[in-house]
Amino acid sequence: MFFDVKIRTEVYDLSDYLNELDEEQRQAVLQSQGRSLVIAGPGSGKTRVITYKLLHLLSNGVKPSEILLVTFTRAASNEMIQRAKILTGMDLDELTAGTFHHICNLLLRKYAPRVGLSPNFSILDEEDSKSLIKHLRTVVLEREGEIEHFPSHNVLQKIFSYCANTLTSLREAILKINPNFIDYEQIIEKIYSEYTLEKRNQNCVDYDDLLIFAVQILQQNSSLRMKEASKYKWILVDEFQDTNILQLQLVELLATVHGNLLVVADDSQSIYSFRGARYENVQDFMRVKNTKLFKIQTNYRSDESIVRLINKVLPRNSVPKTLRAVKPNGRKPLLVETNDKEEEARFVAREILRLIEEGFEPGEIAVLYRSHSHSLDLQLELSRNQIDFKILSGIRFTETAHVKDILAFLKVLLNIRDKISWSRIARLFPRIGAKTAAALAEFASQSPADKNPTQIVEEFSSKKTQFRELAELLTKICERESVSEKITVILEDFYEQYLEDTYQDYRDRQMDIERLVQIAERYKSLERFLSDLTLSESQEEERNSKNKVTLTTVHQAKGLEWDVVFILSVNPGDFPSYYALADGNLDEEERVFYVAITRPRKLLYILKQRFSSVPYMYWANGVDFVKRIPQNLVEQIDLSF
C-alpha cells in the first residue's frame, strides 16, 4: 500500500504515512540524530523504519546526494528507493545506494592508483576467483612436489576469504577453517602470495579486495577521507548485525565528518560468523559515547502464543528486548517427541497432509532444520506421500555430489557395466584423469557379467598405485554383508578424507553420508535400497514451485516467513550442532534457534527424538534447547511409546 504525499512549498507533509508507524518506529525515525542504533525485533518492521527515515530526510531538505544507503542486497536498496520515489515524487538518481561491495567499487574506481590499480580494473566473481586459485595451486604444487591430502581450491578460497573478512592472519584462518591443514601453512601462504601477485598483474580484484582496498584508502589518507566523508550528511545501514569488521570500519570512516550514522540491527539474528560476520559489531557500536539506542519491539508476524515463546528463548548475549504481539492468541506451539528420525518424518508428512486438508496452502508451510542431513528422511517420506516440495538449502538428497559418489560405488557392485558410475568413482582417486576413467568405464562395460568389481580393476591396471587403492577399497566393500556396512567402509577408509580435502563444508557432507548409513540400516537388499532412493527422487518436477512445501536450513530461512513452520531434530548434538559446540559457538547456535522459532505466523512445531541417532548426543546433553522452553507455553505430543 502506498500513501499520498501532499506538497507544501518544498517540504513534504509526512503526517499521512507517519501515522502508519507505531510509537517506537516513529521515535526511531524522528529522534535518531547523530549516532543511532535501532534494535529491531523479528517481525517488527525494521525495513519500514529505515525506509521512512530515508523519506524523513528527503522531505526535510536533505539532498539525495547527501545520503548513503547501505544494504546487503541490491534488491533491498532498489525497493527502498522505489518506495521513496513514489512517495516523494523526487528524482533520486544522485542518492548513493547499494551493497557494501557496490559502495566500495564506486570508491575504488576513483582512487584505484592509490592501491596500485588502474581505474579500469576487473572484478573476479567467486567462480573466477576459485578458477585462478585452482590454477595457481597446480603451479605451486608442481614446484613443491606431490602432496597427499592437500586442500582443494575451494577450501583455499574459503581460507583466503575468511582471512580477509576477519582481518586475521593466514594461520588463524587455517586453524578456523580446518586445523588439519596447518602443516601446509607455508605452501598455502605461497599460493596466497601468488594469488595476490597474479591479481595485481592482471589488474583484477576479488570481492574481498573491494572492501580491503576501500578501507585502506580511507584510513591512509586523511584529506581524502575528509573529502569523501563530507559528502554524506547521513549514512543509513540495514542488517547491521551481519556486518564484518571491514564493513564496520567503512561506515565509521565515512561518518567521521557529519557523524549522522543510523544502523538497524537485530543482534539476536546474527548467524553468519562463518562468513566473518560479527554480532559484536552491534555491541561495539553501542558502547561508543553518545550513541542513541532505539528499540522496536512490536511483532506483527506471529500469533501471541508464539511471541510468548520467543521472549523466553532470547539468546543470552543479546540486547534485552521484549516483543509485544499484535495478532490474537492462537494455538500454542507444539512440542512433539518421537522415537527416531524415521518416525519424525512420518509425523511431519501426515501433519502436512492434514493441514492442507484443513485449508493451509502448501506454499505457506515450511520445514526448517539445522543441517541439510536432517531433512533426508523427510524428503523420502514426502516423496512417498506425493507431497510436492522445494528445497532452499540445496538440491535434493541424491542429486548432491557426495551422495552420488557413494551411490556410484554401490551401483558398480550391482551392475558392473554401469559406465557412468565407474567413471565417477575412478575420478575420485588422485592421478586418475577423465580420459583414464573413461577407459576403465569402457573396459568394465565390455566385461562378462560374472566378474566382480575388484577383478575388473585388476585386469584393467593392477600395477599403478592409484588403481591398487581403488581395487583394495572395492574388495573391502564386497566383503561387507549389509548395505550400511558397505557405505561405512567407503566413508571411513576413503571418502571421509576426500571430503575434508575437497569441500569447504566437509562436515555437513559427512553428516549427510552418516545419515545415509542410518537409512541403509533399514534395508537388507542393495537393489531395493538403490531403487527406493532413485525412484523417490525421480518424480517429475512441476515448473511452478510457488505452491510447494518448503524445506530449508535455518540459515536460508532468515528473513522469510510462513503460516506453519516445523523445526526438525531439536536434539543436543543435532540442534544445537555438535560441531558448533565443539568449536565453542553456543552463542551462535542460540541465535540460529531464535531465527527458527521466529519464522511462523500461525503454527509452530518443534520436534525432538527420544532416541537420537547422533553418537555425541550425550556429550552435548547439557545444551538442550527444548529444556529451556517453559512447559506451560507449549502443547506436548509424545509419540515415543
Side-chain angles (χ1 to χ4, degrees):
M1 178 178 179
F2 297 111
F3 309 98
D4 294 330
V5 179
K6 300 177 179 64
I7 300 178
R8 189 185 306 161
T9 63
E10 292 187 354
V11 179
Y12 298 95
D13 182 358
L14 290 176
S15 60
D16 285 347
Y17 58 87
L18 280 180
N19 289 334
E20 296 296 319
L21 301 176
D22 63 36
E23 184 57 31
E24 288 177 334
Q25 293 171 340
R26 192 178 299 114
Q27 289 300 311
V29 169
L30 297 179
Q31 303 301 320
S32 53
Q33 291 88 31
R35 186 185 181 87
S36 300
L37 168 64
V38 178
I39 292 293
S44 63
K46 65 180 177 58
T47 302
R48 171 172 287 194
V49 167
I50 202 165
T51 303
Y52 281 22
K53 181 64 182 182
L54 173 61
L55 295 171
H56 179 61
L57 296 174
L58 293 169
S59 63
N60 281 274
V62 180
K63 297 175 183 177
S65 60
E66 297 172 330
I67 300 173
L68 173 61
L69 171 64
V70 191
T71 61
F72 266 81
T73 66
R74 186 182 302 174
S77 61
N78 288 343
E79 183 179 339
M80 292 181 194
I81 291 171
Q82 284 302 116
R83 182 74 179 273
K85 280 183 177 179
I86 292 171
L87 288 171
T88 64
M90 296 176 68
D91 180 358
L92 302 182
D93 288 346
E94 293 186 2
L95 191 150
T96 304
T99 64
F100 277 96
H101 293 97
H102 172 70
I103 303 304
C104 291
N105 178 50
L106 295 177
L107 188 66
L108 197 53
R109 293 290 175 189
K110 294 168 64 176
Y111 303 109
R114 293 182 178 272
V115 288
L117 293 167
S118 298
N120 64 337
F121 61 82
S122 301
I123 300 174
L124 303 174
D125 63 21
E126 190 168 346
E127 288 307 310
D128 293 334
S129 172
K130 288 180 180 178
S131 179
L132 181 56
I133 293 170
K134 183 178 183 180
H135 167 69
L136 296 171
R137 176 185 184 275
T138 301
V139 171
V140 171
L141 289 183
E142 284 177 351
R143 292 201 304 258
E144 296 293 326
E146 190 173 324
I147 300 175
E148 193 174 9
H149 306 313
F150 192 79
S152 70
H153 62 286
N154 292 310
V155 176
L156 291 174
Q157 196 268 347
K158 185 175 183 181
I159 291 171
F160 299 164
S161 183
Y162 187 85
C163 181
N165 284 295
T166 57
L167 296 182
T168 54
S169 68
L170 187 63
R171 182 177 184 83
E172 290 172 305
I174 295 170
L175 290 171
K176 175 67 177 179
I177 303 304
N178 191 332
N180 292 332
F181 294 137
I182 197 63
D183 291 342
Y184 305 131
E185 180 185 359
Q186 290 184 339
I187 301 174
I188 293 173
E189 189 168 7
K190 289 178 182 178
I191 298 173
Y192 195 18
S193 298
E194 292 281 352
Y195 178 57
T196 302
L197 180 62
E198 191 61 31
K199 284 186 294 180
R200 183 58 53 93
N201 290 340
Q202 296 184 26
N203 195 38
C204 293
V205 297
D206 59 24
Y207 288 156
D208 301 325
D209 292 330
L210 291 172
L211 296 174
I212 291 170
F213 287 146
V215 170
Q216 183 179 325
I217 286 168
L218 294 173
Q219 285 178 333
Q220 294 181 353
N221 191 304
S222 58
S223 61
L224 187 153
R225 179 172 64 250
M226 295 292 287
K227 177 183 176 183
E228 289 299 320
S230 296
K231 292 180 182 178
Y232 303 118
K233 289 186 177 178
W234 276 91
I235 300 173
L236 312 177
V237 184
D238 195 17
E239 303 286 5
F240 186 70
Q241 76 279 349
D242 294 331
T243 53
N244 61 35
I245 188 66
L246 284 167
Q247 291 161 335
L248 170 63
Q249 291 178 356
L250 179 75
V251 294
E252 294 277 21
L253 289 164
L254 289 173
T256 50
V257 174
H258 297 289
N260 292 314
L261 175 56
L262 171 67
V263 304
V264 180
D266 184 357
D267 60 323
S268 301
Q269 296 192 65
S270 179
I271 59 173
Y272 298 121
S273 66
F274 59 92
R275 297 179 188 166
R278 296 178 75 245
Y279 80 93
E280 296 94 340
N281 279 0
V282 175
Q283 299 174 342
D284 292 347
F285 188 92
M286 191 166 53
R287 290 191 189 103
V288 175
K289 187 178 180 181
N290 297 324
T291 299
K292 293 184 177 180
L293 176 64
F294 301 88
K295 296 181 184 181
I296 54 175
Q297 303 169 100
T298 302
N299 181 284
Y300 295 94
R301 176 184 298 152
S302 305
D303 287 351
E304 186 179 358
S305 56
I306 297 173
V307 172
R308 283 201 296 268
L309 174 59
I310 293 170
N311 283 330
K312 292 299 182 181
V313 294
L314 182 74
R316 285 173 292 187
N317 289 334
S318 293
V319 177
K321 63 180 77 68
T322 303
L323 299 180
R324 297 179 297 273
V326 170
K327 292 183 178 179
N329 206 16
R331 186 175 182 180
K332 284 184 178 181
L334 288 93
L335 176 58
V336 183
E337 184 169 10
T338 64
N339 279 307
D340 52 32
K341 286 181 168 64
E342 188 178 5
E343 187 175 61
E344 175 183 81
R346 288 198 298 268
F347 169 80
V348 172
R350 288 197 308 267
E351 195 70 0
I352 287 173
L353 288 172
R354 187 187 68 77
L355 290 168
I356 292 172
E357 285 184 10
E358 199 175 289
F360 285 93
E361 291 291 329
E364 290 300 338
I365 300 173
V367 183
L368 276 54
Y369 33 85
R370 177 62 181 85
S371 172
H372 190 61
S373 63
H374 300 164
S375 72
L376 305 187
D377 286 277
L378 182 60
Q379 289 185 45
L380 298 173
E381 192 65 32
L382 293 178
S383 296
R384 290 191 192 103
N385 286 274
Q386 298 184 321
I387 300 172
D388 288 330
F389 62 93
K390 59 182 178 181
I391 303 176
L392 298 187
S393 55
I395 57 179
R396 291 194 175 215
F397 176 35
T398 58
E399 295 173 358
T400 57
H402 49 293
V403 173
K404 287 174 75 72
D405 289 345
I406 298 296
L407 296 184
F409 280 102
L410 302 179
K411 286 179 179 180
V412 299
L413 302 187
L414 195 65
N415 173 21
I416 62 163
R417 295 180 179 177
D418 185 336
K419 291 170 67 173
I420 294 174
S421 295
W422 271 112
S423 180
R424 187 177 193 98
I425 64 174
R427 292 178 66 181
L428 296 175
F429 288 79
R431 304 182 303 284
I432 299 181
K435 186 175 180 180
T436 306
L440 171 62
E442 185 63 34
F443 179 81
S445 72
Q446 303 297 324
S447 299
D450 60 349
K451 294 281 186 183
N452 68 48
T454 303
Q455 289 174 318
I456 288 172
V457 175
E458 289 177 342
E459 289 176 10
F460 178 75
S461 180
S462 60
K463 296 178 180 179
K464 294 182 179 179
T465 305
Q466 59 267 44
F467 285 102
R468 190 159 59 247
E469 292 173 4
L470 173 57
E472 289 172 355
L473 179 61
L474 287 169
T475 299
K476 289 182 180 180
I477 299 169
C478 291
E479 289 172 349
R480 298 301 190 273
E481 290 292 329
S482 70
V483 182
S484 61
E485 288 175 331
K486 292 178 187 296
I487 300 173
T488 300
V489 166
I490 299 168
L491 178 62
E492 293 181 352
D493 283 30
F494 168 71
Y495 201 70
E496 188 173 358
Q497 185 65 56
Y498 174 83
L499 287 175
E500 192 170 329
D501 297 342
T502 307
Y503 294 110
Q504 304 172 20
D505 56 347
Y506 69 95
R507 283 176 170 174
D508 291 335
R509 293 173 188 260
Q510 182 178 327
M511 288 172 66
D512 283 356
I513 307 304
E514 290 169 353
R515 192 75 202 108
L516 185 65
V517 171
Q518 293 161 11
I519 293 172
E521 288 171 353
R522 305 170 199 160
Y523 291 84
K524 295 181 180 179
S525 163
L526 175 58
E527 185 276 328
R528 179 69 183 275
F529 172 72
L530 291 172
S531 296
D532 276 9
L533 283 181
T534 306
L535 292 174
S536 68
E537 296 286 335
S538 63
Q539 299 180 34
E540 186 177 349
E541 288 288 319
E542 296 178 14
R543 290 186 178 275
N544 185 359
S545 64
K546 290 184 178 178
N547 207 28
K548 294 183 179 182
V549 174
T550 299
L551 274 57
T552 180
T553 61
V554 181
H555 283 86
Q556 293 292 332
K558 186 170 176 286
L560 303 177
E561 58 186 68
W562 297 268
D563 284 343
V564 182
V565 169
F566 295 83
I567 307 175
L568 298 185
S569 301
V570 186
N571 313 304
D574 281 329
F575 197 174
S577 160
Y578 162 78
Y579 292 113
L581 295 178
D583 289 342
N585 288 339
L586 175 58
D587 278 354
E588 180 140 339
E589 289 299 289
E590 291 178 347
R591 295 194 295 274
V592 175
F593 186 61
Y594 185 80
V595 169
I597 65 169
T598 58
R599 299 305 98 200
R601 303 186 194 103
K602 297 178 181 179
L603 285 175
L604 171 62
Y605 294 78
I606 300 172
L607 294 109
K608 65 170 297 185
Q609 288 91 52
R610 172 166 292 182
F611 306 108
S612 174
S613 56
V614 180
Y616 29 73
M617 173 183 178
Y618 298 101
W619 177 90
N621 205 35
V623 191
D624 189 340
F625 287 160
V626 167
K627 290 181 179 178
R628 297 183 179 184
I629 299 172
Q631 292 189 4
N632 64 311
L633 297 183
V634 294
E635 178 182 333
Q636 299 192 45
I637 300 176
D638 192 347
L639 303 177
S640 61
F641 50 82

